Structures are given as C-alpha cells and as structure tokens.
Amino acid sequence: MYKPREVVTQTVAILGGGIGGLSAAHELIERGFEVTVNEAKGRFGGKARSIPISDETQVLGEHGFRFFPGFYRHVTDTMSRIPYGEHHTVADNLVPTSQSLMARMTGEEAVASTKTPETLDEWAETLRPGNSSNSLSGSEARFFAERMLTLLTSCDKRRENELENISWWDYIEAERMSEPYQQLAAVTQLLVALRPQDGSARTFGQIYLQLIRGQLDPTMEAERILNGPTSKAWIEPWVTYLQDNGVEFVHDAPVTAINCTRERVTSVTVDRAGSTEEVQADYYVAALPVEAMVELLTEELRRGAPSLARLDRIDTGWMSGIQFYLSEDTPLVHGHQLYLDSPWALTSISQQQFWEEYTLSGESDGTIEGVLSVIISDWDKPGILYDKPARDCTPDEIKAETWAQLKAHLNRNGTERLSDDVLVESFLNPAIEETDTGVVNREPLLVNTAGSLRYRPSAATKLENFVLASDYVRTNTDLASMESANEAARRAVNAILKHSGVRAPYCKIWELEEPRIFKPLKAQDAIRYQLGLPHPGETFKGISTPSRMLSLRSR
C-alpha cells in the first residue's frame, strides 16, 4: 500500500460501486483522499457480484463466470494489493485452467492445445482457426492466418482510422466462407457480448490476438479463474479492506442528477429511502454503466463535458449467465467449454473442481455437488427447442433451451455426460426480467461496434472536478470487462491527481503487448500509412505467404 507523504483533505464522491468504482476508491484512499462510494443497489461489485439464489440456501449465483485472461494486468495488480487471510492476497485466489473443450453438435469436438511459435510461418500456422477436426479447408485457414498477420503488422493509426470503421465479419470476409470458418473465426463472441457482424475489426482482432498470445506465451497463464464465488473470493475482502482504510460505503442510493455549471460539478442528487439528498465533494467519479450515464445527461452536462454528448450512440448488448446446480460434480475438462455451433453462443465452466475452500454440498442441504456456470452471448438467434431467440423466451424457456443446447453438444456418440437426473436447480441472472413479450436485460454490456470509438470519452472531462471510471471510457484494454473498468478508474484517479496537485505517484497503466517480431513491420506500415499507401496484406490478399509478406514490406 502506498503511504501518502502528506495529509489530503480533499473529498471524492464515487458514483457506482462496481469494479470501476471500487478500483477508483482503492487508488484514491491509498493516496490519502477522503472517499465515499454511492451504489444504487444493496450489494457492491456491480456485474461481478455474487447473488444468493434463494433465501433457503447459502449457495451463490453469478451474473456470469469470471474469466481472467493472461493479458489482464490492471485488475490483477489491484487484486494483489487486497489482503486475504493472514498471509495472502485476493490475487492468490486466481487459479489457472489447463484445457478448453471445443464442443459441437455435429462434427468432432477437440480439446485445445498450445505451442510457442517463433517464426512468421509458425505464427501463421498457429493463427489458423482450428485444425483437421473442423473440416476447415486449407485455403480458408491460410486466408484467416493472413488476415491476422495483416492486423498484427498494421500500425496503430491504420487500426484506429481504418480497421475501427469496418466490422470483424467484413474484415475476415466471413460472409463468403464456410460455416466452420464462420464459427471459429467468430469465437470471440463466446467471450464477449460482441457479434462479429457488428464489432469493430480493430477491437475484435486485438482481443483475439491477446487471447492467442496468452495461450502461447510461456511466461503467462492463458486463463485464470477464481477459486470460489466472486464475492467470497474477491468482492467482500475488497470492501472490507477499503472500509478498514476509511472508505465510506452508501448502498441503495441511486444517482438521479448530476448538477453542474460550465466549469464544474456542484453536487450530485441521490435517492435515499424515497427522499432526495445532495452529495457534495471536491471531486466526482462517475463509475456508472453507459446506459445509466446516458439517463443522467442534461444539456448543462453536455455543454460542460462535450465528450459525453454522443454517449447515447454507444450500443449495448446482452451477455448474461445461468447456473445449473447438479447432484454430481461433472468436471468435463479442466477449463472452459465453448459450444461452437450453439445458436445462443454458449460457453460454460464446471466450477467446483477449482473451488478449494467453498463446497456446494456444504453451502446447500447436501444435495448439490457441482455447478455448470453458463453464459449466453447471442440473444437473437432461434434456439433448438422452442425455435425462438432468447430475448423472446420466458425465463423458464431460457433455462430449458440452454440445458437442451448443452446436452446436444455434450451427449453424443453414445456418451451421456449431462443427464436430466443430476439437475437439482438452475439460477438465471435476476437482471433478466420477464415481460409480456419475453425478457429484458437490466444489466447489458457495452459493445464496441464498428466506428463507435469516436463516441467514447477519455477518463478526464472538461469539467475540472468530474472524471469517468467505466468500461466505455477509452482504454488500452478497449473491451467491456473488469480489466477495462479498472484501467479507466486508474486514468480517472490520475486526472484527479494532475488537477489537485496532490503529491502522490500516478497509477500504473499498462499497454497491450504484442509479439516483438512484428514491431519492425508495424513501423514500416506507419510510413506507408503516412504516404497514403494501403497495407500490402490488402493489396496481395489471398495470394501472399507469411515469408512473402516480409519481402513485400521492404519495397
């Protein structure tokens, strides 16, 4: 913990107690500020919080399973500074997975394996989506690898000004390709709420590369998960640490107005127990999700902070979880399962195998031994049971349809890995609420659609005492995630430090790392971009080899 060199009497009001808000509170309190966190709900942690599945049991459900890829640096650094027990930190609760199951309703399934590439040709082989088990043609695999190499060797300005404005689907020319190509090339949708037809090629491609790098870099873990429910393993120890260091927490206090002049925020109105209350502080950190922030935009706020004026053009998508509690623990594999041809783009993980201190049998009446935690990423395609998209189903239909899609992938070739007999209970994220025509999602996620970067603000605004700490903020991470929210919070705190004059170290910000072998090629492309020339990968698309691309770069 950083010890301030001076007593700071300046106050900060944080609006929102999710990952962004808690991260900002953490950095501010360690730099001597007086901090209050105002949260609309009764629990802190935002979408990462755990939720009791009923009043009769101690079993916890989730918005969705927590996933910590190897490229996450910001949030894991914060976790390493949260005490857990006498001699550990919350970061010690992160445990690696070792396998990923690629399951299919038709065709062969596969368990992912990795190796570390060293040459361009080896990288090209690694970047090909899938292998012999997926019926992908050699020409399609080669074309996809070339698309990835083109992205890897594109300079930052080309990515931001060209690749940002086209969809991933168009960039990889998925429309003209086979179904296996479309499934595997769009696999990132299984990890974030971002349809390849809509998502920016810059965001989609960069995250795809980071996920691959995590699998292939021997110095980092490809994937980590928590060794218990999120609130037990992370959020509750975090809130305790912050309280012990002076952070004041106010729950059930939704923000109803942000009051400002052209220069600064003067107060924030919150609703507490049915009456309004004016919150005043020296600085304000808005750690609210984008849809909540849009509701608070007024003409005064748009004039004072013009970078927020087009927040309403940012899209949100649905990505939400459901847990199936089982009478028998069913590990499947030591890691995640990706259901490649599931209409609802399902992913799951069997969690009890990773939970060292938390047993479901101990928290229930003894009837629950395992849990399969599932995320639904596509809410617009018809399912296999009711022939309806998830958003048009009732909650009970969503549970039955999801279960049916899981069984269609896992119970094949005479092997039954998932039986109706072992299903004890299911829990759908309560943010999915029933309506007369289906369901609504009260906690959607930011989606980085093509061309949306220009609508997204930086953490600092033109209002001298108002900053932003949410995943819609421009960050290196550039993804709706805990990592992006934490990075945004660090940028917000740095903006406060810069303006306040408090003598304290700035928060560390990490860049996304890419293989060094491609740096010279990116530098050459920067010159080509400045001269108005296209990337050679576009000029010779479909006919170049990796070695050929190297020779073309020097011309």
Side-chain angles (χ1 to χ4, degrees), residues 81 280 339 408 428 447 508 550:
R81 290 151 46 211
Q280 292 187 317
Y339 303 93
L428 179 64
V447 292
K508 172 72 174 178
L550 261 181

Side-chain angles (χ1 to χ4, degrees), residues 22-243:
L22 296 178
S23 300
H26 192 129
E27 300 297 343
L28 287 163
I29 203 69
E30 291 192 347
R31 287 160 175 79
F33 289 84
E34 296 180 17
V35 180
T36 301
V37 178
N38 301 273
E39 165 57 34
K41 295 183 172 62
R43 290 173 175 267
F44 297 93
K47 297 181 185 70
R49 72 194 185 281
S50 303
I51 311 161
I53 68 172
S54 71
D55 296 332
E56 292 75 33
T57 178
Q58 298 298 310
V59 175
L60 297 173
E62 306 272 353
H63 178 276
F65 56 74
R66 306 274 76 78
F67 169 63
F68 297 81
F71 71 91
Y72 278 19
R73 301 289 300 278
H74 300 89
V75 72
T76 51
D77 172 76
T78 299
M79 294 170 80
S80 72
R81 290 151 46 211
I82 303 170
Y84 187 83
E86 293 186 7
H87 306 292
H88 297 280
T89 70
V90 163
D92 295 321
N93 292 334
L94 292 172
V95 293
T97 64
S98 61
Q99 298 171 310
S100 292
L101 173 65
M102 308 290 189
R104 297 174 174 276
M105 288 190 287
T106 59
E108 297 181 25
E109 67 177 38
V111 176
S113 61
T114 62
K115 76 179 188 73
T116 303
E118 297 180 355
T119 67
L120 276 176
D121 289 311
E122 288 177 357
W123 268 96
E125 182 65 26
T126 301
L127 293 172
R128 291 178 183 176
N131 49 44
S132 60
S133 67
N134 61 35
S135 71
L136 198 66
S137 71
S139 61
E140 286 182 333
R142 183 173 61 253
F143 180 80
F144 183 81
E146 290 175 2
R147 291 281 74 200
M148 298 299 288
L149 285 168
T150 296
L151 187 144
L152 271 167
T153 55
S154 292
C155 66
D156 293 340
K157 286 187 176 180
R158 191 183 300 281
R159 292 183 187 184
E160 184 168 329
N161 296 321
E162 293 182 3
L163 300 184
E164 163 64 21
N165 295 311
I166 62 173
S167 73
W168 176 246
W169 192 259
D170 289 340
Y171 176 75
I172 62 173
E173 300 186 16
E175 191 64 35
R176 68 179 181 86
M177 299 296 188
S178 68
E179 185 176 356
Y181 178 97
Q182 293 174 354
Q183 290 171 356
L184 286 164
V187 72
T188 309
Q189 184 182 1
L190 301 173
L191 303 173
V192 295
L194 186 59
R195 279 173 21 100
Q197 293 89 340
D198 305 324
S200 133
R202 181 184 66 87
T203 296
F204 220 109
Q206 288 183 162
I207 296 305
Y208 199 113
L209 290 171
Q210 290 300 315
L211 294 172
I212 292 174
R213 187 176 71 88
Q215 291 179 326
L216 302 178
D217 188 337
T219 66
M220 61 195 298
E221 300 287 357
E223 300 177 3
R224 294 154 294 174
I225 62 172
L226 288 166
N227 64 1
T230 311
S231 287
K232 295 290 185 183
W234 179 19
I235 303 301
E236 290 175 6
W238 199 5
V239 171
T240 297
Y241 169 77
L242 296 177
Q243 286 177 322

Side-chain angles (χ1 to χ4, degrees), residues 169-440:
W169 192 259
D170 289 340
Y171 176 75
I172 62 173
E173 300 186 16
E175 191 64 35
R176 68 179 181 86
M177 299 296 188
S178 68
E179 185 176 356
Y181 178 97
Q182 293 174 354
Q183 290 171 356
L184 286 164
V187 72
T188 309
Q189 184 182 1
L190 301 173
L191 303 173
V192 295
L194 186 59
R195 279 173 21 100
Q197 293 89 340
D198 305 324
S200 133
R202 181 184 66 87
T203 296
F204 220 109
Q206 288 183 162
I207 296 305
Y208 199 113
L209 290 171
Q210 290 300 315
L211 294 172
I212 292 174
R213 187 176 71 88
Q215 291 179 326
L216 302 178
D217 188 337
T219 66
M220 61 195 298
E221 300 287 357
E223 300 177 3
R224 294 154 294 174
I225 62 172
L226 288 166
N227 64 1
T230 311
S231 287
K232 295 290 185 183
W234 179 19
I235 303 301
E236 290 175 6
W238 199 5
V239 171
T240 297
Y241 169 77
L242 296 177
Q243 286 177 322
D244 289 347
N245 284 277
V247 175
E248 180 183 354
F249 285 91
V250 180
H251 58 78
D252 296 306
V255 177
T256 58
I258 298 173
N259 311 301
C260 67
T261 65
R262 285 183 178 271
E263 290 79 31
R264 60 190 290 111
V265 170
T266 55
S267 69
V268 169
T269 306
V270 299
D271 185 355
R272 296 192 67 182
S275 61
T276 60
E277 179 179 317
E278 296 302 309
V279 174
Q280 292 187 317
D282 296 312
Y283 293 92
Y284 300 85
V285 179
L288 302 167
V290 65
E291 71 277 6
M293 195 65 201
V294 167
E295 292 295 320
L296 296 170
L297 288 179
T298 60
E299 287 305 312
E300 291 80 7
L301 189 54
R302 291 174 192 267
R303 285 195 294 268
S307 61
L308 305 181
R310 297 189 291 177
L311 276 188
D312 55 358
R313 300 190 185 186
I314 296 177
D315 290 329
T316 58
W318 292 22
M319 184 179 189
S320 199
I322 179 172
Q323 285 82 51
F324 295 101
Y325 298 93
L326 312 175
S327 61
E328 298 176 4
D329 190 23
T330 308
L332 297 177
V333 295
H334 191 259
H336 294 90
Q337 299 86 50
L338 287 72
Y339 303 93
L340 294 179
D341 49 2
S342 57
W344 289 3
L346 304 180
T347 48
S348 72
I349 189 166
S350 183
Q351 293 183 301
Q352 183 62 78
Q353 62 183 310
F354 298 99
W355 290 355
E356 299 173 354
E357 300 178 2
Y358 182 93
T359 60
L360 287 159
S361 60
E363 298 298 325
S364 65
D365 58 4
T367 59
I368 299 174
E369 295 288 344
V371 58
L372 195 60
S373 186
V374 185
I375 288 179
I376 304 169
S377 295
D378 194 324
W379 291 73
D380 297 310
K381 288 183 182 177
I384 64 174
L385 193 61
Y386 299 106
D387 197 32
K388 292 194 296 186
R391 67 173 67 242
D392 293 341
C393 292
T394 67
D396 285 342
E397 289 173 337
I398 291 172
K399 295 173 183 178
E401 174 71 49
T402 304
W403 185 251
Q405 291 186 33
L406 294 175
K407 290 193 299 180
H409 284 77
L410 296 173
N411 299 343
R412 299 183 54 225
N413 301 323
T415 301
E416 184 180 61
R417 288 183 284 189
L418 208 56
S419 166
D420 293 339
D421 295 338
V422 303
L423 180 58
V424 176
E425 193 169 356
S426 59
F427 178 75
L428 179 64
N429 176 16
I432 304 299
E433 297 181 1
E434 188 169 6
T435 68
D436 292 338
T437 58
V439 290
V440 295

Side-chain angles (χ1 to χ4, degrees), residues 451-485:
S452 64
L453 182 63
R454 61 182 178 272
Y455 306 136
R456 294 167 53 200
S458 299
T461 73
K462 285 194 174 181
L463 292 169
E464 59 189 25
N465 66 340
F466 184 68
V467 294
L468 310 171
S470 189
D471 60 9
Y472 64 82
V473 170
R474 291 192 182 204
T475 62
N476 294 333
T477 309
D478 193 41
L479 185 69
S481 63
M482 303 175 291
E483 174 76 352
S484 187

